[in-house]
Amino acid sequence: MTKISIFGVGLMGGSLALCFKGKPGLHIIGHTPDPLEADKFLKRGVVDQATTSIEEAAEAADFIFLCVPVGILEEYLHRIVQCKLKPGCIISDVGSTKASITHCADQLGRTDIHFIGGHPMAGSERSGVEAASSHLYENAFYVLTPGASTPEQAYMRLVELLQYTKAQIVRVDALEHDLIAGAISHLPHIIAAALVNQIADYKDTNPLYESLAAGGFRDITRIASSHPEMWRDILLNNREVMLKLLEDWNERIHKFQTLLKEENGQGIEDQFRRAAQFRSQLPERRKGIITAIYDVYVDVPDHPGIIGQIASLLGNHRINLSNMHIIESRADVPGVLRLSFRNEREMDAAIQVLKSNQYEVRL
């Protein structure tokens, strides 16, 4: 029997547990310091066994997954390696930064166990074990960052286990991971937060900024609503990379300033054309490091009962809406009603039903 211990059975850890649970020869142990949380894991059927003891969870395990916040990852790793771990035990994590935890593991001096950093590039707008799903990692990139001294056999054992997630495994150097993740995830979160705060400051002198910041503005800045403490830990953990990326960003903003000062219309056009060309090459419907949104926009006539008709139509086809929003500002938004769904399958089904009932639908 292969025993898998998961520390931090929330969205990420709980989803891993559900990927493994019920598979032949696997026994899933969930750890939490909170007894009430341990009972919840068991009642929801996420794990086979729950415990509040670090030693009990760690010493029984063939595989250990650290799914705790980035800010306390190293603390948990230090505590776990003090336990009487099984020889050959493989420890991994799901943190958004990899260089620091990999360096920490290298300093432990343990050759009888193996640490292999991991980062499944999937997530959800929701959090907690209640949001866990066995489909969360399906078709997502799952980055693994083995060190130079990691035995290939240990790496392949972890890869084999992670096949149950149905994710696409990618092998990357830890520092390279942090550079890429910093550019395509961490930097956009900083930019979104700064932009929203800029508009919030303007709103103090003119409330129209808030009233009109709907539709497209709200959509492109949605990641500014991300968990503050989590992003504090991620950004501080990836501090050196982020400082360099912000220098590069400031140079690009300065370039736009120069183009505007010089009234260089062709230069501005070239910047937008280049950006559009690169963006058009990006995969549209694939899980990435920033959580995808599953929204459709519907043009509807302004008459009583139309919203209820659409909700009933989807309900009659057993399609679950996660949110419905009537849009007041149409700037940059291709419809007056925004329908949000939890996954691509629900969204695709809704599009088909709405179009077959003569509604004009746009992504």
Side-chain angles (χ1 to χ4, degrees), residues 8-26:
V9 190
L11 170 67
M12 306 297 282
S15 296
L16 269 180
L18 289 172
C19 289
F20 302 142
K21 186 135 184 328
K23 301 303 188 293
L26 299 184

Side-chain angles (χ1 to χ4, degrees), residues 118-261:
H119 180 198
M121 293 185 173
S124 169
E125 298 282 323
R126 299 178 296 160
S127 61
V129 69
E130 295 82 3
S133 166
S134 61
H135 303 294
L136 181 66
Y137 303 118
E138 189 171 337
N139 299 322
F141 287 112
Y142 197 125
V143 173
L144 293 179
T145 59
S149 61
T150 302
E152 190 66 17
Q153 182 182 15
Y155 174 75
M156 293 310 300
R157 282 177 58 205
L158 180 58
V159 169
E160 182 179 4
L161 178 65
L162 291 174
Q163 297 307 308
Y164 287 116
T165 66
K166 299 182 180 178
Q168 181 175 338
I169 308 300
V170 182
R171 186 171 186 163
V172 180
D173 173 76
L175 181 56
E176 182 182 9
H177 165 276
D178 287 2
L179 291 169
I180 295 172
I184 65 176
S185 175
H186 307 169
L187 180 62
H189 279 81
I190 291 177
I191 295 168
L195 178 56
V196 171
N197 287 336
Q198 181 174 344
I199 301 305
D201 289 341
Y202 294 163
K203 180 265 299 181
D204 291 340
T205 57
N206 187 343
L208 271 177
Y209 281 100
E210 182 175 9
S211 301
L212 300 183
F217 180 83
R218 193 176 190 279
D219 287 347
I220 65 171
T221 58
R222 67 184 177 87
I223 56 176
S225 298
S226 299
H227 198 286
E229 289 81 6
M230 179 184 78
W231 279 99
R232 173 201 65 200
D233 292 347
I234 290 172
L235 294 177
L236 289 176
N237 195 274
N238 205 21
R239 176 175 173 271
E240 295 302 324
V241 168
M242 297 317 302
L243 288 172
K244 178 61 172 67
L245 288 170
L246 285 169
E247 287 180 11
D248 292 346
W249 172 255
N250 287 333
E251 287 181 10
R252 294 179 185 278
I253 292 299
H254 179 71
K255 184 172 186 177
F256 265 103
Q257 287 179 307
T258 301
L259 292 172
L260 288 169
K261 287 177 181 178

